């Protein structure tokens, strides 16, 4: 069943990635946060949450850990004091290229069982299925919002 295959890919893929990041004292969520903020300095927490696919509380805990280690800082939004923007500290900026290397090596491990032709086909089909799911769900849909509560991104 597709849903079980997706679950296995996520669970064991993330566990493998966490093992790769162990020596840096990071997990996959922290890696994603650093890489996103390296590409989009000044992003807001909700934007980051779309990449992590975690609720606001989990994203906030991830950011708090990164802040405590001097990798990320939350700053006031220049136009709206209620909002916060996220910026990499110098330590986080220095770490980003190494994290991209680790991510590339992880992808090679995960996709290494595929030929170049199969990998290209997999990427095309995976993209098509992902777009189909997003189209069916109306994009990044909040489960609680569907119930009238607002919150978690699905």
């Amino acid at each position: 069943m597709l849903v079980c295959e997706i679950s296995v890919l996520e669970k064991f893929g993330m566990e493998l990635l966490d093992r790769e990041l162990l020596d840096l004292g990071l997990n996959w969520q922290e890696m994603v946060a650093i890489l996103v903020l390296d590409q989009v300095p000044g992003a807001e927490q909700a934007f980051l949450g779309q990449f992590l696919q975690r609720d606001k509380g989990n994203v906030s805990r991830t950011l708090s850990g990164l802040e405590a280690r001097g990798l990320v800082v939350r700053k006031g939004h220049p136009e709206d004091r209620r909002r916060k923007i996220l910026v990499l500290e110098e330590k986080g900026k220095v770490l980003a290229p190494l994290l991209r290397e680790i991510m590339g090596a992880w992808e090679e491990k995960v996709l290494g069982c595929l030929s170049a032709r199969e990998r290209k086909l997999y990427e095309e089909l995976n993209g098509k299925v992902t777009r189909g799911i997003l189209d069916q769900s109306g994009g990044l849909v909040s489960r609680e919002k569907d119930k009238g509560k607002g919150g978690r991104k699905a």
Side-chain angles (χ1 to χ4, degrees):
M1 288 188 304
L2 178 61
V3 71
C4 294
E5 292 166 353
I6 291 169
S7 179
V8 167
L9 286 172
E10 180 185 23
K11 179 180 181 358
F12 295 108
M14 296 304 104
E15 286 178 8
L16 176 62
L17 187 52
D18 280 345
R19 282 197 302 258
E20 299 293 324
L21 296 165
L22 197 59
D23 289 343
L24 295 174
L26 297 172
N27 62 40
W28 74 269
Q29 293 174 334
E30 293 166 326
M31 180 203 71
V32 168
I34 291 168
L35 292 177
V36 168
L37 295 176
D38 186 53
Q39 294 296 307
V40 187
E44 295 185 41
Q45 185 171 321
F47 178 78
L48 182 60
Q50 292 178 17
F51 291 89
L52 294 172
Q53 292 296 297
R54 299 295 183 253
D55 63 48
K56 286 193 262 186
N58 279 327
V59 175
S60 184
R61 279 188 293 281
T62 296
L63 290 170
S64 293
L66 292 171
E67 279 184 305
R69 286 177 273 166
L71 298 168
V72 171
V73 64
R74 292 181 233 207
K75 295 182 176 184
H77 192 282
E79 298 167 10
D80 184 347
R81 291 189 344 239
R82 295 169 297 174
R83 294 166 44 199
K84 299 286 184 197
I85 60 171
L86 308 169
V87 180
L88 286 180
E89 294 278 27
E90 192 58 35
K91 284 172 62 175
K93 291 177 185 176
V94 168
L95 200 52
L98 176 60
L99 293 176
R100 277 192 286 281
E101 285 180 31
I102 291 170
M103 187 68 195
W106 175 82
E107 286 180 6
E108 285 301 315
K109 281 183 183 178
V110 170
L111 299 176
C113 60
L114 302 176
S115 69
R117 188 179 128 276
E118 290 169 330
R119 188 178 297 201
K120 183 173 175 34
L121 180 60
Y122 170 78
E123 289 170 357
E124 289 172 7
L125 294 174
N126 188 53
K128 192 172 189 175
V129 169
T130 300
R131 285 187 301 279
I133 289 171
L134 290 173
D135 288 346
Q136 291 293 316
S137 69
L140 297 174
V141 176
S142 168
R143 290 182 190 146
E144 285 79 12
K145 189 175 181 182
D146 288 345
K147 298 176 193 172
K149 297 180 185 175
R152 180 172 154 41
K153 298 286 182 188

